[in-house]
Amino acid sequence: MTERTLARPHHGGDPKNIPPANNGLAMLDLATGVNPWAWPVPEPPAQCYQVLPYTCPQLILAAADYYGVASDAILATAGSQPVIQQLPYMVKPGRILLPAIAYEEHRYRWQQAGHDIYLFHDYQRECIAELIASEQIQYLLIISPNNPTGDTVSQADVRYWRSLLPDDGMVVLDQAFADVLPSSDLSMLAAAPGIVLLRSVGKFFGLPGLRLGFALGRADFLTELDDRLGPWGVSGSAQWLGRLALADKPWQQQMLTKLQTASQQQTELLRQYFGAYIQHISTTPLFISLVMPLITAEKLQLACYAQGLSVRVYRGDKLAYMRWGLAADQNLLAQRLSGICFAGITELGAELGAGVGAAQTQRQPSNTAQGAIS
């Protein structure tokens, strides 16, 4: 169990926390893990700003079709974050099991709400099942695909874990990155009792500033969540644009192919420059994570900042995940990478027993779909 009170998370892409690059270089934001080729946004009509933004029925129908669920199993939200903050207060205080390396807001918000935090390090079915039983877990949070490890889970695994929880327990499935790995989509679980899913428009469509997402679950649960979130939570322009983007099937299919190709190309580019420091690589169509000793990751992150490359480092006890979002211009990325000063880091790698690059292994996250390096 985690006893230490967590500090409020600081998110890697916040410009005020990023040191300036050398020689006045403009910073390339590779820390957010969103699609750099955004869905082309038309200008919303003036009416979007002239009336209160009650939920648009056309948006719900478009989202229900996109996610393959009934219209009463979906609630539009201002991204996933408001839901992440409310869910811990919708259940009585208890024991929640979460991934040890993941988007930090989940762990922080559940702890803030007075729940006891337990962590798992392995996405394997029986590893999580054993922890549920031994620690008498009531709530389970799964991020699939996980940010930053790329791990995914199956429908059968989730149903099994839910069966091990008490009747009033809950499984929360954060699927913000599932759009780019269709085989990881677990929307069919929206009708199951005690399961709620979070989906985001910002990641795949490249529109994080739109602040649009959806909660999927049973109608009675969504009614309570809607009441807690309050009226007019999603702007009129976000609703208007969201229904158009969700209905744009040709763009979606073309983009899935483009992201898959780009992520594989960028993986090879990163391997070329960082192969001597990494223990394995996890690749998804929207981000690539390089796993390495924490002290190495911190030094490399500073070296990347100096070359105008903003990247995110997720810190474990001794290992770290350096997560790279996709670069829209990989030629520019290669140019910046070629300017990184590895002096001092190379010596550090030798001290830590690097040679990892020579016998480098590439780990396929548990149950990860076609985006992973195998």
Side-chain angles (χ1 to χ4, degrees):
M1 184 175 72
T2 301
E3 300 288 351
R4 179 172 58 88
T5 300
L6 297 175
R8 184 174 183 176
H10 293 288
H11 302 293
D14 191 338
K16 71 175 182 290
N17 296 327
I18 299 174
N22 293 341
N23 304 318
L25 287 173
M27 191 67 68
L28 295 183
D29 180 11
L30 304 177
T32 52
V34 302
N35 184 356
W37 300 287
W39 179 76
V41 178
E43 183 177 355
Q47 187 180 15
C48 288
Y49 310 99
Q50 294 169 345
V51 298
L52 285 172
Y54 290 96
T55 301
C56 171
Q58 290 90 345
L59 171 66
I60 298 302
L61 289 174
D65 178 69
Y66 181 80
Y67 296 116
V69 300
S71 58
D72 65 351
I74 192 163
L75 173 68
T77 63
S80 299
Q81 188 60 36
V83 185
I84 290 171
Q85 295 177 201
Q86 284 296 329
L87 284 178
Y89 295 96
M90 295 181 67
V91 293
K92 63 184 181 183
R95 299 180 170 202
I96 179 166
L97 182 63
L98 309 94
I101 301 293
Y103 179 56
E104 296 99 332
E105 284 285 344
H106 288 289
R107 182 176 169 188
Y108 175 72
R109 299 297 172 177
W110 283 88
Q111 188 181 69
Q112 287 288 102
H115 298 271
D116 294 327
I117 305 298
Y118 292 78
L119 303 175
F120 67 86
H121 297 266
D122 192 327
Y123 264 72
Q124 293 298 325
R125 175 185 176 116
E126 291 306 324
C127 292
I128 291 176
E130 288 172 9
L131 284 170
I132 291 173
S134 64
E135 305 297 346
Q136 298 181 310
I137 298 298
Q138 294 156 281
Y139 315 115
L140 173 64
L141 185 133
I142 297 290
I143 306 175
S144 177
N146 186 35
N147 166 26
T149 69
D151 291 293
T152 64
V153 299
S154 70
Q155 177 187 173
D157 285 346
V158 175
R159 291 189 184 277
Y160 175 54
W161 295 327
R162 178 63 187 93
S163 73
L164 301 178
L165 299 176
D167 291 343
D168 60 351
M170 181 169 64
V171 176
V172 179
L173 290 169
D174 184 342
Q175 292 221 282
F177 288 94
D179 304 58
V180 296
L181 287 175
S183 62
S184 73
D185 185 0
L186 298 174
S187 299
M188 73 290 294
L189 295 173
I195 297 178
V196 60
L197 298 93
L198 311 182
R199 299 298 298 258
S200 171
V201 170
K203 304 293 191 300
F204 173 48
F205 290 92
L207 302 172
L210 195 63
R211 305 314 305 142
L212 178 63
F214 298 93
L216 280 58
R218 291 171 68 94
D220 55 346
F221 184 87
L222 296 183
T223 297
E224 180 184 351
L225 176 59
D226 189 28
D227 182 62
R228 286 174 173 267
L229 292 174
W232 316 306
V234 182
S235 72
S237 56
Q239 295 193 51
W240 187 83
L241 292 167
R243 67 182 176 87
L244 296 180
L246 291 169
D248 192 347
K249 307 296 185 184
W251 181 90
Q252 294 162 20
Q253 291 302 315
Q254 292 170 11
M255 187 52 60
L256 285 173
T257 300
K258 182 172 184 174
L259 291 173
Q260 185 73 27
T261 300
S263 67
Q264 295 294 340
Q265 291 173 343
Q266 187 165 319
T267 295
E268 295 309 313
L269 183 61
L270 295 175
R271 190 197 322 278
Q272 176 184 341
Y273 284 94
F274 298 103
Y277 308 99
I278 58 179
Q279 295 187 3
H280 54 259
I281 303 176
S282 293
T283 298
T284 78
L286 276 182
F287 62 83
I288 300 139
S289 293
L290 311 181
V291 184
M292 63 186 72
L294 175 56
I295 188 171
T296 306
E298 290 175 337
K299 288 182 176 291
L300 284 173
Q301 184 181 39
L302 292 175
C304 288
Y305 283 149
Q307 283 300 304
L309 299 171
S310 171
V311 298
R312 183 79 183 270
V313 171
Y314 287 78
R315 293 165 172 81
D317 292 333
K318 294 182 179 179
L319 287 178
Y321 285 77
M322 176 182 277
R323 192 195 69 185
W324 294 73
L326 295 187
D329 185 342
Q330 295 205 12
N331 289 327
L332 178 58
L333 173 59
Q335 180 184 340
R336 297 284 180 92
L337 289 171
S338 68
I340 291 178
C341 178
F342 289 97
I345 302 174
T346 302
E347 290 80 356
L348 174 66
E351 293 172 7
L352 292 171
V356 180
Q360 183 185 169
T361 60
Q362 286 141 40
R363 167 184 173 271
Q364 179 171 343
S366 303
N367 298 322
T368 297
Q370 69 267 23
I373 296 292
S374 57

